[in-house]
Amino acid sequence: MGNNKSLLSWTIRILISILFIVSAVAKMYPSPYFAISTFEVKQLYPLGFSEIIAPWFSRILIGIELALGILILQNNFLRKLIIPVTILLLAVFVGHLSYVTFASGGNSGNCGCFGELIPMTPIEAIIKNIIAIFLLVFLMFLLPKSVVSKNNFWIVSGITLATIISIFLLAPIKKITNDFTVTPIENNISDTIPTGNITPILKDSVITAVKVDSVKKALPTKIEEVISTTEPKKIKSGYAKLFPKIDSGRKTLCFFVPGCDHCRTAAKELTELKQKNTNFPEILIIFMNEEADLIPAFFKETGAQYPYKIIEIIPFWNALGTGKDTPGVKYLWNGNTYKYYNGITDNKFNPIDYQELINKPFSELKK
């Protein structure tokens, strides 16, 4: 009987250990700084964490998560501290995910429990955490007192401190800027001569707009009445710092990550649409500064090159918008947003829908 209890308790401890270690490591995928910054923007900022506190809190939290995954396998303070803290952390996660599900009014998107490595909906994560809590409570009754009588504080504190420091070393906190800061490595490939099978697609020449401007000079009063019903009034979209002419005419503004497979798929679909439509809205790309060296490969795979800018990770997520995910594709007309596709779920980019959208006259569009 004793052997069965020991085997069962060790099985639970190993399962919980794997759960926490994988969760901590997954939050640093595909690269530590990118993944942790994404975690901050998606999970911490909506809770009211400032841009100063969030980077520290996120790294400490992931470090503690990793430490618990290791400490659950040793016997120091196991019943008095490690298991209760693990249960408390899981309960906090359950509360947070329940709030997110209620606030968003649904169960869509990735909760971020396992980062981008293993997508999981909030409800799935809540069920997973509740099961883990029950297993830990059961473990408390399975463990004999002789196994949990050790109280070496330095082992527990040393492992915890080491894991937290390791997270800070893997993903050091960088200076945060909220501006659309273009990095020095930015190089507009659309101005270079393409090689291989890549088709250069440069800036659109909006012939219609030129003709309208010419007529406006000759007939200013009458033409104003026509324009007001054929195209929207110009407004400031907020992206002029990156693309000065973005608020004039029709534009396709994209938010992409160079190494993101879904972003590359969306870019390929846009290229195919552009090749079929002679009057396609000009494509402009904002890249996140994560693996920026992959941008040439990005354009090679998508089959065309477009004007682009690179901005840092935090400003990128801020520009993408709260609750939004990559790939992001906006349809802009004179600075007005008429459609915003984002993520890989219900609101993901749909080339058929976009084809119908860009062919609609102004009178049929709704913001």
Side-chain angles (χ1 to χ4, degrees), residues 171-228:
I173 296 176
K174 298 180 181 180
K175 183 179 179 181
I176 298 173
T177 172
N178 285 319
D179 197 7
F180 291 126
T181 303
V182 181
T183 61
I185 60 175
E186 188 274 333
N187 177 26
N188 195 331
I189 292 186
S190 65
D191 296 331
T192 64
I193 299 175
T195 58
N197 296 322
I198 303 176
T199 304
I201 299 182
L202 307 180
K203 295 182 178 180
D204 296 327
S205 55
V206 187
I207 300 174
T208 304
V210 174
K211 290 182 178 179
V212 170
D213 288 340
S214 301
V215 178
K216 276 182 68 176
K217 292 179 181 179
L219 302 169
T221 304
K222 293 183 179 180
I223 201 65
E224 287 293 340
E225 297 176 359
V226 176
I227 290 176
S228 64

Side-chain angles (χ1 to χ4, degrees), residues 87-107:
I87 293 174
L88 177 62
L89 189 59
L90 287 169
V92 170
F93 287 158
V94 169
H96 166 63
L97 292 168
S98 299
Y99 166 77
V100 169
T101 304
F102 175 78
S104 61
N107 180 40

Side-chain angles (χ1 to χ4, degrees), residues 54-195:
W56 290 89
F57 183 84
S58 61
R59 286 158 177 79
I60 293 172
L61 178 63
I62 295 172
I64 291 174
E65 196 173 14
L66 182 59
L68 289 173
I70 298 171
L71 292 171
I72 198 73
L73 298 177
Q74 56 85 58
N75 297 325
N76 291 282
F77 289 99
L78 189 58
R79 188 193 293 270
K80 292 181 180 179
L81 180 65
I82 305 305
I83 294 178
V85 169
T86 306
I87 293 174
L88 177 62
L89 189 59
L90 287 169
V92 170
F93 287 158
V94 169
H96 166 63
L97 292 168
S98 299
Y99 166 77
V100 169
T101 304
F102 175 78
S104 61
N107 180 40
S108 61
N110 180 13
C111 69
C113 295
F114 292 103
E116 301 298 321
L117 182 62
I118 308 174
M120 183 175 286
T121 66
I123 296 297
E124 290 172 341
I126 289 172
I127 295 172
K128 177 260 296 180
N129 289 340
I130 290 176
I131 293 173
I133 290 173
F134 277 113
L135 287 175
L136 285 166
V137 172
F138 184 48
L139 178 63
M140 290 280 282
F141 292 99
L142 286 175
L143 290 173
K145 292 183 179 180
S146 59
V147 176
V148 293
S149 60
K150 296 181 180 180
N151 295 315
N152 192 325
F153 172 78
W154 295 108
I155 291 178
V156 174
S157 59
I159 291 175
T160 303
L161 187 61
T163 55
I164 292 174
I165 291 175
S166 67
I167 301 300
F168 276 91
L169 291 175
L170 287 170
I173 296 176
K174 298 180 181 180
K175 183 179 179 181
I176 298 173
T177 172
N178 285 319
D179 197 7
F180 291 126
T181 303
V182 181
T183 61
I185 60 175
E186 188 274 333
N187 177 26
N188 195 331
I189 292 186
S190 65
D191 296 331
T192 64
I193 299 175
T195 58

Side-chain angles (χ1 to χ4, degrees), residues 24-50:
V25 173
K27 288 186 177 71
M28 295 182 284
Y29 172 86
S31 67
Y33 182 70
F34 160 67
I36 292 177
S37 298
T38 303
F39 173 72
E40 293 164 16
V41 174
K42 291 185 176 181
Q43 303 297 329
L44 300 184
Y45 287 2
L47 294 177
F49 284 84
S50 69

